[in-house]
Structure formats: C-alpha cells, structure tokens
Amino acid sequence: MLDQIKAKADQYFSEVQAIRHHLHANPELSFQEYNTAKFVAEKLAVLGIPNKTGVAGTGLVALIEGKNPGKRCIALRADMDALPIEEKNDVPYCSKNVGVMHACGHDVHTSCLLGAAHILNDLKGELEGTVKLIFQPGEEKHPGGASLMIKDGALENPKPDAIFALHVFPYLPAGQIGFKAGQYMASADEIYITIHGRGGHAALPQETIDPISIAALLITGLQQVVARKADPLIPSVLTFGKIAGGFATNVIPDKVEILGTFRTVDEQWRYEAHKWIKDFTEQTCAAYGAKVDIEIPVGYPSLFNNPELTAKAQSWGKAYAGDKNVHELIMRMGAEDFSFYTHHVPGCFFRLGTNRNGTEFTTPVHNAHFNIDEEALKTGMGMMAWCAVQGLAANP
Ligand code: NI
C-alpha cells in the first residue's frame, strides 16, 4: 500500500501542481473563499467524491467510503483562506487578486488534500472505513473557521476517530516532515483596553485624570501577570501591539486605547490569566479615578497533539519519508485554529518541509516573498493519504 501511495503521489504531482497554481493565482480572504470552494467542489465532483458545500459558509465536507464504511473514520483537514498581503513573487502563477496572497501556504494545504483525495479514492476498495475530507474557511480570522465547522457538524455523521492536518514549514527541506507530541501551539486571545480619563492642560495635571500615565502603569504592571502569577513551567506571553492616544505636547487627552494578545498553553491558566488581567486593569484605573473598558474575546485554544496518535503518525512518517527525514519539533507560541478540532477528537498537526536544500524558499510565512519548493506537494499529498490509510487500519 505504501509503495502504491508513493507511486500515485508521483503520478498525480503535475495535476496537484496545476491545482496549486490555480489556487495561488486566485487567493481569497478569510470567509470569502467562494470561488475556492466552488473549485474544490468541482475537483471532487470529477473524482466522483460526494461532498457537502456551504458548511460554515464556504467550507466543504466530503466522504470517501471504503469497504467497511461504518468501521472507522479518519478526518483530514485543509484550510483555504489567504492573507491581505500584496504578493512580491515573480512567478507565472502570481496572485491575480491585488492585495491578497496565499502567504501562509493554505493553497498548498488545499491542493495536497485534493491530491490525497485522488489517491484515497483510487484505493477505496481496500480502505477499512471512511475518510472524511474537511476543507475549511477562515483559519486566519477570529473566531476561526474550524470553530464554525465544528458548530456546523463537520465532526458528526460520522464522528472521526482521529483528525490530521499538515502545515507548510519553510525551516525544513521538501521531502522532510516534523512532529511534536502533546502541547504544540499556544492559545491566543486578543485584549482591547480603553482608558477613559479626563483631558485638560498639560500644565494643570491636578485638574485631569491622565490616561497616558495610567496606560504606562498598565503596560508595565500587567507584565506581573506573566512574571509573578504564571507558573514558570507554563509558557505565557503578553504583548501589547498598539497604543493610541493624545494629540500634542501640551494636551492631556481624554482616552487611551491599548491592544494586545495573551498566549499560553494551559487552558485552565488561560482563563485565570484573563481574570488577573481584567482585575489589575480595572483596579489600577479605579485607583487613579479613571474608567476603563476591557474586552478579552475568547480566541483559539492551545493546540494539543494527541501523544499516542502523534507517536504513531511519526512512525508512519518514518516509513514514508525515511528516518532521517522525520524531525522532532519544539513548541511554538503561534496559534492555529486546528486546535479546536484537537479539543474534540484526537488530532495530529504536523509540518511539511517546503524549502530547497535549506538555501532556497526559506522566506517565512506571512511574508510577501513566501513560496515553496513544489517537490513538497508529493510528500504532502502522500503523507495525508498514508495517515488516513494507517489511521483506518489501526485497532480501535
Ligand atoms: Ni497557516
């Protein structure tokens, strides 16, 4: 079966490369993946794979039923959205949608999943169960397309026994893959603070409530939540990315806005930290006579790779790509909405190497020059198909 999958990944390479070029040239922003979804539905229809469109708006769910469709179910997920970045690559398949670019490789994820679909559809007579293909919208945007797909029933009928996804990784060469069991990526929650003081003349501070000096206290003081309240063994990051307020050297303004993000990898501490941040902000503002609005909308949870599943996937990866091409990864404080799935079913999110010999295609994601060595498409589609086959064959 492994040799068959590898041969098919080679055979379908040019087909998947053409799919990727089409998707790359026609990127769409989060939750606006209308043409992308139509294109994916057409490709599935050509293969004769039944699918449901309009899941969570522009998402799709497709089923490939094997010889014992009710036995087990393995889900494979791809995200389809692009970013508001103006592409700077000089390639024939450069983005035709001005100001929008597949700079996070979601075109690669979608084309690899369509390639895996082709391979698995060929082999369905030998599959012990059902493969569920999940093409989701809006990975890059709050509240995360994954959360909406789950709400819309993507993990029901049938409920998967496990779910897999890959993500491009410009730090490894094409042909290589990376895994990290357990906690892999952080939760990410946005913080919006508006301090309402009382403006006035800079020379008469006693007649004002100065929101700028209060903002300074908050920005430094809130770091105590990370420095003194967080368990040192639990990674936590609090970063303020925007502060806005004021007009001139001699005017105290009425208000200051502060925007930030809080990230950690422990779900209980995550919500405790929110409370510390809110309490410290409200009490500090109150102490100086200011009013404050603080919002911490709940974002993506931390991404937990099921340890047993990830250990298995890693061994399947070694069989597929060779021992020396499979790497242990370290935890990252970035966030990824695949995490929502991992809180419902055992999940494994692995990395697909996309550079060439460590020298070309090394530009990080979310950059206007990001691109990949397309040899990675073979490993991507093949590994996704192989994970499905092995996941279905595993003992329940
Ligand atoms: Ni991404």
Side-chain angles (χ1 to χ4, degrees):
M1 188 71 108
L2 179 57
D3 291 338
Q4 262 178 302
I5 292 173
K6 281 186 175 177
K8 285 183 184 293
D10 285 341
Q11 187 188 341
Y12 297 146
F13 172 70
S14 55
E15 169 189 316
V16 170
Q17 187 183 37
I19 289 172
R20 192 231 162 191
H21 289 176
H22 175 88
L23 293 172
H24 194 87
N26 298 281
E28 293 176 293
L29 291 172
S30 305
F31 302 112
Q32 297 171 33
E33 306 89 343
Y34 302 103
N35 293 325
T36 306
K38 224 175 113 192
F39 178 80
V40 170
E42 282 164 14
K43 292 288 168 197
L44 291 169
V46 169
L47 296 172
I49 299 173
N51 62 88
K52 189 176 161 203
T53 57
V55 185
T58 48
L60 301 93
V61 177
L63 295 178
I64 300 172
E65 297 192 330
K67 61 182 172 190
N68 285 312
K71 197 170 171 192
R72 274 173 73 75
C73 175
I74 297 295
L76 306 175
R77 170 273 204 175
D79 41 11
M80 303 188 290
D81 55 328
L83 286 160
I85 293 176
E86 176 87 42
E87 178 158 18
K88 298 268 168 58
N89 287 315
D90 183 16
V91 288
Y93 51 91
C94 187
S95 172
K96 291 189 274 189
N97 191 354
V98 178
V100 184
M101 176 189 175
H102 269 297
C104 199
H106 298 186
D107 55 335
V108 178
H109 309 163
T110 300
S111 37
C112 284
L113 189 51
L114 282 169
H118 198 164
I119 296 170
L120 291 165
N121 199 51
D122 289 352
L123 303 173
K124 69 181 172 187
E126 296 165 60
L127 298 182
E128 288 289 341
T130 295
V131 180
K132 179 178 267 193
L133 311 168
I134 297 177
F135 295 89
Q136 70 155 79
E139 192 285 320
E140 300 283 358
K141 196 168 179 184
H142 183 87
S147 72
L148 303 179
M149 292 296 285
I150 294 167
K151 274 196 192 120
D152 227 353
L155 294 182
E156 306 302 325
N157 303 320
K159 185 180 164 82
D161 295 284
I163 184 165
F164 295 90
L166 58 74
H167 200 291
V168 297
F169 198 59
Y171 308 97
L172 287 178
Q176 303 194 4
I177 42 183
F179 294 88
K180 164 79 175 76
Q183 288 295 353
Y184 176 46
M185 291 175 81
S187 58
D189 301 305
E190 295 174 344
I191 302 168
Y192 297 87
I193 299 171
T194 307
I195 306 162
H196 302 279
R198 185 167 66 237
H201 199 293
L204 300 166
Q206 76 279 16
E207 293 181 4
T208 73
I209 296 169
D210 181 357
I212 288 194
S213 65
I214 296 169
L217 291 170
L218 283 185
I219 286 169
T220 51
L222 280 170
Q223 290 301 333
Q224 294 291 327
V225 174
V226 174
R228 299 289 80 183
K229 292 297 171 194
D231 181 334
L233 300 181
I234 301 175
S236 301
V237 180
L238 176 64
T239 293
F240 293 105
K242 181 177 176 184
I243 169 164
F247 314 97
T249 57
N250 58 356
V251 179
I252 291 171
D254 281 319
K255 68 172 185 180
V256 169
E257 284 181 338
I258 309 171
L259 275 56
T261 175
F262 178 75
R263 287 148 189 260
T264 187
V265 298
D266 181 281
E267 291 298 308
Q268 190 187 338
W269 159 240
R270 176 188 180 196
Y271 292 102
E272 281 169 28
H274 291 185
K275 191 172 180 322
W276 280 111
I277 292 166
K278 278 186 183 162
D279 287 353
F280 183 89
T281 300
E282 284 165 1
Q283 289 170 23
T284 302
C285 289
Y288 293 92
K291 290 200 165 60
V292 68
D293 294 318
I294 174 164
E295 299 288 337
I296 309 180
V298 172
Y300 301 174
S302 51
L303 194 160
F304 184 78
N305 279 325
N306 181 278
E308 295 82 38
L309 184 69
T310 305
K312 281 184 196 162
Q314 200 158 349
S315 69
W316 305 335
K318 284 179 178 168
Y320 190 96
D323 284 10
K324 69 177 191 324
N325 292 322
V326 175
H327 297 263
E328 289 277 351
L329 302 173
I330 53 169
M331 197 190 283
R332 294 163 72 85
M333 295 306 277
E336 156 66 55
D337 83 347
F338 183 75
S339 59
F340 282 106
Y341 304 110
T342 70
H343 289 262
H344 287 85
V345 294
C348 174
F349 180 82
F350 64 94
R351 293 288 185 166
L352 177 71
T354 53
N355 76 40
R356 184 179 288 155
N357 304 322
T359 53
E360 286 175 78
F361 302 113
T362 54
T363 306
V365 295
H366 292 223
N367 181 297
H369 294 281
F370 173 75
N371 201 1
I372 66 157
D373 177 354
E374 290 185 323
E375 281 296 308
L377 295 170
K378 291 181 191 168
T379 313
M381 69 173 125
M383 259 308 285
M384 286 298 260
W386 180 230
C387 283
V389 168
Q390 290 291 74
L392 288 176
N395 291 324

